Amino acid sequence: MIHNERVLVTGGAGFIGTGLARAFAEEAARWVVVDSLLPQVHGQDATPDLPSGVELVRGDVRDVDLLGSVVRDLVPDVVIHLAAETGTGQSLDLPRRHADVNVTGTAALMEALDTTMSLPRRVVLTSSRAVYGEGAWCDSQGRTRTPPGRSPEMLERGEWDYPGLTSLASRAGTTPAAPCNVYGATKLAQEHMLSAWTIARGVSLGAARLQNVYGPGQSPINPYTGITTLFFRLAWQGKSIPVYEDGKIIRDFVLIDDVVRAVGEVARSDQACLVDVGSGVASSIHDAAREIARIAGAPEPTVTGQFRLGDVRSAHVDMEPSQWVLAGTPATGLRSGLTALGEWMRERADA
Ligand SMILES: NC(=O)c1ccc[n+]([C@@H]2O[C@H](COP(=O)([O-])OP(=O)(O)OC[C@H]3O[C@@H](n4cnc5c(N)ncnc54)[C@H](O)[C@@H]3O)[C@@H](O)[C@H]2O)c1
């Protein structure tokens, strides 16, 4: 559905929210965004790129009175919960800020929804790869291991990998959740809270664990998110991109267009689900940096041996069980996705 439905999107003025609005708002009966326009994401003079017809209410997701009045006016059929503090590394330094927005904000949403007589058909949560932490690994005898996060001592010694182990692709429902940073823990809390609430209220929940989303529209100013935009900023300045650890950190980069399509499918469905959304391809950070340097005509990236606490070594997914969310279309390759991002950033800089 979504077609002719009333849709409430928290945090809907951000990267993923504006992508969803461009793709689906026109077919909805109403599309209402509640967003605080966080300066870290939008700058001081926020002008979110939302299509005409979208109703934007500037407000905080923790403000249960404001959310309640929006909910009573709209009576949403679908709620897409995006509002969040998303800084993975930042969450270790500002745990209260992340817990407050992500956990208390989710609780406020549930209380606000309870103030209307008619509950939504569907709640959609964009969860994160961060819930897996280091995920599952395989030892030389083929046994699965789930090591704890890497300690500061390990990283200071330059022990980037777990000796004798090879990382496995994560799978929702199979790979245990074991977050390595506060952000990941809050995203897991959101999953649990919404699962409990939706079951008790008879509402269907679709939770999508997104991998590293990138592409045109990602905040070019937020220093705590979007490694590809950060790399492009350096590369367009003719600088060599610094690559952390030994360059072999693994990520699954998924283009915003593919994520929008997948989240749209999850919103349309009535089936309770917990799915992964990625490209299904494991890429090293060094390879992504090389590709960006090539597109921007910058010098070769430099492997620095620096590290960031709370970063996981390897995050990638097996997309086979979640194929339906991509509606039969393969995910976009990294080279063409990065080219699109590079062009978008160049056009913005020229403008
Ligand atoms: N982008 C990714 O790689 C990625 C990966 C996994 C999960 N996610 C999840 O997807 C969702 C959207 O992420 P995004 O990439 O669009 O991030 P974003 O930062 O571009 O958008 C988040 C939006 O939430 C708003 N917001 C923040 N705090 C708020 C508050 N207290 N009240 C109301 N609005 C608030 C911000 O102003 C922003 O517009 C988040 O829940 C995030 O955890 C994103």
Side-chain angles (χ1 to χ4, degrees):
M1 296 266 267
I2 289 189
H3 187 68
N4 258 335
E5 289 190 306
R6 296 175 300 268
V7 182
L8 169 63
V9 191
T10 70
F15 176 37
I16 295 171
T18 49
L20 289 171
R22 274 195 294 277
F24 305 117
E26 208 179 310
E27 67 175 277
R30 282 178 71 188
W31 189 278
V32 179
V33 164
V34 175
D35 196 302
S36 63
L37 304 181
L38 196 68
Q40 181 173 308
V41 177
H42 296 274
Q44 292 304 333
D45 306 311
T47 45
D49 190 13
L50 287 163
S52 62
V54 169
E55 300 162 61
L56 172 63
V57 178
R58 186 169 188 168
D60 199 295
V61 72
R62 290 164 292 182
D63 184 343
V64 71
D65 294 335
L66 174 118
L67 273 187
S69 69
V70 170
V71 160
R72 283 189 298 278
D73 170 60
L74 178 66
V75 192
D77 303 297
V78 178
V79 176
I80 305 177
H81 185 35
L82 307 176
E85 288 282 350
T86 65
T88 309
Q90 192 184 29
S91 71
L92 286 170
D93 300 326
L94 299 172
R96 256 192 311 162
R97 179 166 142 183
H98 284 70
D100 197 22
V101 172
N102 299 0
V103 179
T104 309
T106 302
L109 175 63
M110 298 183 316
E111 284 188 23
L113 291 172
D114 269 339
T115 66
T116 152
M117 297 301 286
S118 173
L119 288 169
R121 167 184 72 77
R122 182 71 156 166
V123 172
V124 176
L125 171 70
T126 50
S127 185
S128 169
R129 67 169 175 87
V131 303
Y132 293 121
E134 288 289 358
W137 296 64
C138 180
D139 71 13
S140 54
Q141 268 115 51
R143 288 174 304 209
T144 301
R145 298 272 182 243
T146 49
R150 297 173 301 164
S151 65
E153 293 75 26
M154 257 178 99
L155 296 170
E156 267 147 29
R157 285 195 299 270
E159 280 175 32
W160 312 125
D161 270 309
Y162 299 98
L165 301 183
T166 312
S167 90
L168 298 170
S170 295
R171 264 188 185 211
T174 306
T175 307
C180 289
N181 51 60
V182 172
Y183 167 68
T186 65
K187 296 305 287 185
L188 188 59
Q190 289 185 326
E191 287 185 11
H192 289 165
M193 291 165 74
L194 282 171
S195 171
W197 185 85
T198 51
I199 288 170
R201 293 287 188 265
V203 173
S204 87
L205 173 67
R209 289 179 175 167
L210 312 183
Q211 292 287 309
N212 267 64
V213 189
Y214 74 101
Q218 190 156 36
S219 171
I221 60 162
N222 187 351
Y224 298 100
T225 191
I227 197 173
T228 50
T229 52
L230 177 71
F231 281 3
F232 261 116
R233 270 210 306 276
L234 296 168
W236 286 130
Q237 290 164 25
K239 293 183 181 155
S240 166
I241 299 166
V243 178
Y244 281 11
E245 301 186 14
D246 58 354
K248 294 181 189 153
I249 296 174
I250 295 296
R251 291 291 179 268
D252 180 325
F253 293 100
V254 59
L255 188 65
I256 180 68
D257 308 38
D258 297 330
V259 171
V260 163
R261 206 148 37 90
V263 175
E265 286 304 312
V266 172
R268 282 181 208 285
S269 170
D270 272 328
Q271 190 187 318
C273 66
L274 173 64
V275 292
D276 291 303
V277 175
S279 66
V281 177
S283 304
S284 79
I285 296 286
H286 200 178
D287 285 345
R290 275 201 202 99
E291 193 57 44
I292 289 169
R294 190 191 62 78
I295 293 166
E300 271 289 295
T302 310
V303 176
T304 66
Q306 290 167 283
F307 59 86
R308 211 173 57 155
L309 297 175
D311 260 357
V312 298
R313 178 66 170 169
S314 184
H316 57 116
V317 274
D318 174 3
M319 276 302 287
E320 201 54 44
S322 308
Q323 264 320 318
W324 65 271
V325 304
L326 290 176
T329 314
T332 312
L334 188 58
R335 175 168 284 197
S336 61
L338 287 176
T339 304
L341 173 61
E343 279 166 12
W344 177 77
M345 288 186 70
R346 179 126 242 191
E347 279 163 20
R348 274 178 63 97
D350 289 348

